Amino acid sequence: MQDKKARFDLSAKEGLSLLGETPLVAETPEELLDDETTPIARFFVRNNGLLPQPVDDAESWTFTIDGEVERRLDLTVAQLKCRFPQKTFRMVLECGGNGRSFFEPEAEGNPWTHGGVGCAEWTGVSLGDVLREAGLKETALFTGHFGADPDKHGSHERQAMSRGVPIAKALEEHTLLVWAMNGEPLPFIHGGPLRLVVPGWPGSLSQKWLTRIWIRDREHDGPGMTGLSYRLPIRPLPPAYRLPIRPLPPGSNGQGIETRILESMPVRSIVTAPADGRRYPEGTRSIEVRGAAWAGDDDVARVDVTVNGGATWTEAATTLPRNRYDWVRWHASLTLPGNGYYEIVARATDSQGRAQPFRAANWNPNGYGCNVMHRVAVTVGPEV
Ligand SMILES: Nc1nc2c(c(=O)[nH]1)N[C@H]1C(S)=C(S)[C@@H](COP(=O)(O)O)O[C@H]1N2
Ligand SMILES: [Mo]
């Protein structure tokens, strides 16, 4: 039954690669992320459990804020729309495991390439405005997010996923309670009628089918918050030390290691044109390449492209983001010395000077935050 529903929902999607059916997980091939605003039909899907019951009346969907607040609030979508200032921001939503398949040896989890990401226009209200109405107590330190979806065995007793953020992140203007995506009512598969969007941080914080935000006096401990979930080994060296050292030998089980929760996602770029495998006519000496880049909480400082394994780089032209957490689009003309096989590689650098690595660095058992450079192979002239 659940399986049928899952398949039905993916039929509204165009060209996604299925990574798992139950729970439903599908990513977007990089060349389909060529739009400034990712169309809903191309937006990736990540579920950790089964789907909840769809509802007929989105306006009466209710969610609760309770815990360390002066007043518990039970608000419908209709009330959210009229009681708080509405905001629309274009923002990147990216799975914490995006890029995981490039880790060697293989890390635990869905084998995302670079397509566990999309950038949509999200409309809603700032969670902070609603939290201020509830009145945060001094003991309010963390959020805990709850959705209506049962876990992957169909149990409503256990949350499929329940993560949370420090109060400061919850109070950022761009952390939204969202009911519309690209100007349309938020689709069911993306969490409609109501979801959170917590930009810049792992997508798992952006709770779909939102029913409750529990304000807590300590770090939240729901599924997805404990053990090795969304955690990275702590680097033994100060952050200024930028060599690609590995705090954990690849393949280790991670037992007994010190970890921290993954917050901001690392800088990443993708090549969205040409598509991997494209062939150009013999004699082509100049090609146009373009793509997107984003950097979690940070800004993209520059994007560089190479066709010779990094021997020389061409700086790409980048667009200005519309608002914080929007991605930048980039393009460049590359000169080719002759016919043959080339690999186009893009490298983004954030405003703190951190660039993407050539090889997957920072291996960790659950495979988070792999931001290795994206590589696209093309050929000029006949097959050799
Ligand atoms: N209720 C609920 N919300 C959820 C999830 C989930 O399984 N259940 N998955 C999370 C994860 S891991 C990601 S990456 C994003 C994906 O959002 P999307 O399916 O709209 O692309 O939703 C997040 N919100
Ligand atoms: Mo995710």
Side-chain angles (χ1 to χ4, degrees), residues 93 122 176-178 186 190-191 194-197 206-208:
L93 181 71
W122 306 104
L176 297 183
L177 293 162
V178 163
L186 182 63
H190 294 297
L194 188 70
R195 79 175 302 165
L196 265 174
V197 172
S206 296
Q207 195 82 31
K208 304 198 277 190

Side-chain angles (χ1 to χ4, degrees), residues 48-334:
N48 290 269
L50 305 185
L51 296 169
Q53 281 302 319
V55 292
D56 294 330
D57 179 19
E59 298 292 297
S60 62
W61 180 272
T62 307
F63 93 106
T64 300
I65 292 184
D66 63 358
E68 304 301 307
V69 289
E70 304 293 346
R71 285 167 295 282
R72 171 194 163 123
L73 296 180
D74 298 286
L75 291 167
T76 62
V77 169
Q79 287 169 324
L80 280 178
K81 286 183 180 173
C82 62
R83 300 229 318 243
F84 303 93
Q86 294 194 17
K87 317 229 163 121
T88 298
F89 298 122
R90 189 168 66 192
M91 301 191 286
V92 170
L93 181 71
E94 181 178 24
C95 185
N98 198 21
R100 178 181 289 128
S101 64
F102 302 103
F103 275 126
E104 287 172 38
E106 213 173 279
E108 200 63 38
N110 286 294
W112 300 103
T113 63
H114 302 282
V117 67
C119 187
E121 286 174 10
W122 306 104
T123 299
V125 298
S126 295
L127 172 61
D129 288 341
V130 183
L131 291 179
R132 275 183 285 275
E133 172 146 327
L136 290 173
K137 291 187 175 164
E138 250 172 47
T139 46
L141 292 183
F142 226 87
T143 60
H145 312 155
F146 295 81
D149 46 334
D151 78 359
K152 60 182 174 203
H153 308 294
S155 162
H156 279 277
E157 310 305 308
R158 280 183 53 81
Q159 289 286 307
M161 165 149 279
S162 176
R163 305 200 60 236
V165 292
I167 282 295
K169 183 69 181 173
L171 290 174
E172 271 187 17
E173 189 194 0
H174 293 79
T175 297
L176 297 183
L177 293 162
V178 163
W179 61 75
M181 181 178 185
N182 294 352
E184 289 178 36
L186 182 63
F188 172 69
I189 198 68
H190 294 297
L194 188 70
R195 79 175 302 165
L196 265 174
V197 172
V198 181
W201 290 24
S204 50
L205 293 163
S206 296
Q207 195 82 31
K208 304 198 277 190
W209 311 293
L210 185 71
T211 54
R212 177 189 180 204
I213 295 180
W214 179 19
I215 303 301
R216 305 205 56 182
D217 62 0
R218 65 197 68 180
E219 192 170 289
H220 185 49
D221 52 3
M225 292 301 289
T226 54
L228 287 170
S229 291
Y230 297 95
R231 281 175 190 270
L232 296 177
I234 289 173
R235 283 170 170 268
L237 293 169
Y241 196 98
R242 294 207 195 95
L243 286 179
I245 46 131
R246 295 195 171 101
L248 202 62
S252 48
N253 65 14
Q255 260 168 22
I257 55 157
E258 228 189 308
T259 59
R260 66 164 177 86
I261 293 188
L262 169 58
E263 296 189 335
S264 177
M265 291 293 289
V267 63
R268 189 193 303 274
S269 57
I270 48 174
V271 179
T272 62
D276 190 39
R278 165 130 181 222
R279 184 175 303 281
Y280 291 90
E282 191 167 354
T284 303
R285 291 296 172 264
S286 170
I287 59 170
E288 299 301 314
V289 300
R290 57 178 189 267
W294 59 97
D297 277 347
D298 218 310
D299 296 324
V300 173
R302 58 186 290 157
V303 177
D304 299 274
V305 199
T306 183
V307 281
N308 51 26
T312 57
W313 293 91
T314 300
E315 184 168 0
T318 52
T319 60
L320 286 177
R322 251 192 220 173
N323 49 256
R324 195 174 175 204
Y325 300 113
D326 188 13
W327 60 17
V328 305
R329 305 298 308 189
W330 58 263
H331 67 95
S333 298
L334 299 176

